[in-house]
Amino acid sequence: MGQKTIYYFDNNATTRVPPEVLEAMLPYLTDEWGNPSSAYGFGNRLAKHIEHARQKVAALINAEPREIVFTSCGTESNNTAIQSCLLTHPGKRHVITTAVEHSANIKFGQFLQKQGYEVTFLPVEPDGSLDLHLLETSIRPDTAVVSVMWANNETGVLFPIEEIAAICLSKGVLFHTDAVQVPGKLKIDVKSLGVDLLSLSGHKLHAPKGIGLLYVKRRTKFQPYVIGGHQERGKRGGTENVASIVGFGRAADLVMARIDEENSRVRRMRDRLENSILAGIPHTIRTGARDPRLPNTSNIAFDGVEAEAILVLLDHVGVCASSGSACTTGALDPSHVLTAMGLSPSRARGCVRFSLGFYNSDADVDYLLEHLPPIIQRLRAMAPTATADRPRHKHPSTPKHDEAARVAAD
Ligand code: PLP
C-alpha cells in the first residue's frame, strides 16, 4: 500500500532525520553496541565517537567541547539549567522567566513555586516582545537565574538575548536561554551572546528524538539534575545514548552547512505563504511581530474558526500543521503564549502555526495555498455568524486584544 504524501509544515514540532544522519548512527545501533564506560576496547572505543560529536555540536554554537553536557531532550536541559542555578546558590530562591516559555519552563516554574521558590513570569507585549526595563527591575538580590527563551516556538518571535545577557551580567545574575527553536534558522555564538547556559534539542535540527544538550559556560557552578554515574564528567548520570549523540553531531554539521539557505529560501517561502493567506483569506491576521522573528514560522489567526477543525481538514489532505492549544481537562485550552499576548481565548483558539524547514519546497506552499482557502470557507459556512458583518481586523474584545490585532495586522 502506497504511503500518502505528507506536506509537512510543522518543523517547530520536530524534523525529519535525513539519510546522512541515520547512516552515521547505524553502526552504534548494530555492531558497535558496547558501553562507552567499559574497561575493554569493544566498549570504551565508543567514547571517542561521543567526543567527536561533542566537538561538532560545540562548533554549532561556538562553545568549547567541555562546555557541552548531553541530555535526553530540551526539557531536561531547561530543567537542569534552572535547578542547577538554584542548588548552587542556596540563598537565592527567586527565578525570572516569561509567560510565553515552552511548557518545559512554565510547568517547571509552577513546580518550583509549589516547592516554596518564587518565580516571576514576565508578561509580554501584544506583539510578543518583552519589556526589558521590566525584566531589569524584576531582578532582585535573591534572583538565582533569569531564564528567557530565544525564539518562541509558536510565533517565532525572537527575544534580544544579547541585551538580556548584558543586563544579567550587570546585575550579577546567571542567564539561561532556551534556544531549542534556533539552530538551523539563526547562527548561534554563545561567546558573543554572553549567556551562561543554553539549551538545545536534537530533534528540532534533524537529529533523532531523545537527545539534547546543555551548554554550561566554563567556571559556571553546576549541579547535576540526573544523578547517577560519572558520565558527562559527572554532570549528567546515565549511560550515553551513543547513536543519538553521533546523529546529533552529524545533524549539527548539516545544519551549519545549510544555514544560509535556510535563512533565504525558507524565509522567502514562509513570506509567500503568509502574505498569500493574509491577502486571500478574509478575517485573518498574523499573530506576533513580523520582525524580529524566526525565518520559518508563521502563526495565523483565522477568526471564527477553531484551529483544531482546520488541522483535521488539513490532515485529510496530507498537510501537517499545529496549534498551540493544549488538551488539559478534556477541553481545549487556548495557547498560553497567545493569551499572554492579549489575544482573546476565541481568537487564540483559531490560530494555526505553519513552520517550514529544509525539506519544504515551493510546490508544498502551492499545495497548501490551494487547499487552505476552501477549508476555511467550508468551516465558516458551518458557523456563518462567526465573522459575518464584521469589518476585517475589528472584533469585540478587550483593549489589549484590539492592540494585539492592530500590531499583528501591520
Ligand atoms: N523549548 C522549546 C522552545 C521547544 O519548542 C521545545 C519543544 O517543542 C522544548 C523546549 C522541549 O524540547 P524537547 O521536546 O526536546 O523536550
Side-chain angles (χ1 to χ4, degrees), residues 20 27 31 44 62 71 76 80 203 218 234 299 302 324 360 378 383:
E20 300 94 317
D31 300 339
N44 67 30
N62 195 28
T71 63
E76 184 192 324
T80 303
H203 74 104
R218 263 181 80 192
N299 191 306
F302 297 88
N360 283 114
R378 183 173 148 198

Side-chain angles (χ1 to χ4, degrees), residues 347-361:
R347 174 168 279 178
R349 276 198 201 92
C351 288
V352 176
R353 176 188 72 187
F354 302 99
S355 50
L356 286 74
F358 183 78
Y359 292 98
N360 283 114
S361 65

Side-chain angles (χ1 to χ4, degrees), residues 81-83 85-86 92 94-97 142-147 168 173-176 197:
I82 295 171
Q83 179 172 285
C85 296
L86 287 168
K92 300 188 173 193
H94 177 230
V95 173
I96 296 176
T97 186
D142 67 337
T143 305
V145 60
V146 173
S147 177
C168 292
V173 179
L174 289 167
F175 179 44
H176 162 253
L197 302 122

Side-chain angles (χ1 to χ4, degrees), residues 110-229:
Q110 292 164 349
F111 166 78
L112 289 173
Q113 286 175 323
K114 287 195 192 112
Q115 310 303 307
Y117 291 96
E118 273 190 77
V119 182
T120 300
F121 293 96
L122 293 171
V124 295
E125 302 295 313
D127 67 353
S129 64
L130 207 51
D131 176 346
L132 293 194
H133 178 68
L134 180 63
L135 184 145
E136 183 163 3
T137 52
S138 301
I139 296 175
R140 314 186 319 207
D142 67 337
T143 305
V145 60
V146 173
S147 177
V148 170
M149 70 196 322
W150 188 347
N152 189 277
N153 44 303
E154 290 190 35
T155 60
V157 169
L158 301 174
F159 287 148
I161 293 307
E162 241 177 285
E163 283 176 62
I164 299 171
I167 292 171
C168 292
L169 184 66
S170 73
K171 296 269 186 178
V173 179
L174 289 167
F175 179 44
H176 162 253
T177 188
D178 171 352
V180 162
Q181 287 297 341
V182 177
K185 302 162 188 165
L186 302 174
K187 287 186 179 144
I188 305 178
D189 180 341
V190 286
K191 296 205 171 69
S192 69
L193 283 175
V195 298
D196 299 298
L197 302 122
L198 176 145
S199 303
L200 293 189
S201 173
H203 74 104
K204 309 287 184 181
L205 61 120
H206 303 284
K209 293 153 195 67
I211 188 71
L213 70 78
L214 180 64
Y215 158 79
V216 185
K217 189 162 104 190
R218 263 181 80 192
R219 289 193 265 277
T220 305
K221 284 191 193 165
F222 185 82
Q223 177 70 40
Y225 182 77
V226 178
I227 295 169

Side-chain angles (χ1 to χ4, degrees), residues 7 273 314 317 363-375:
Y7 298 85
L273 175 67
L314 283 175
V317 293
D364 294 349
V365 174
D366 291 339
Y367 183 87
L368 178 53
L369 287 174
E370 182 193 332
H371 286 84
L372 185 60
I375 285 175

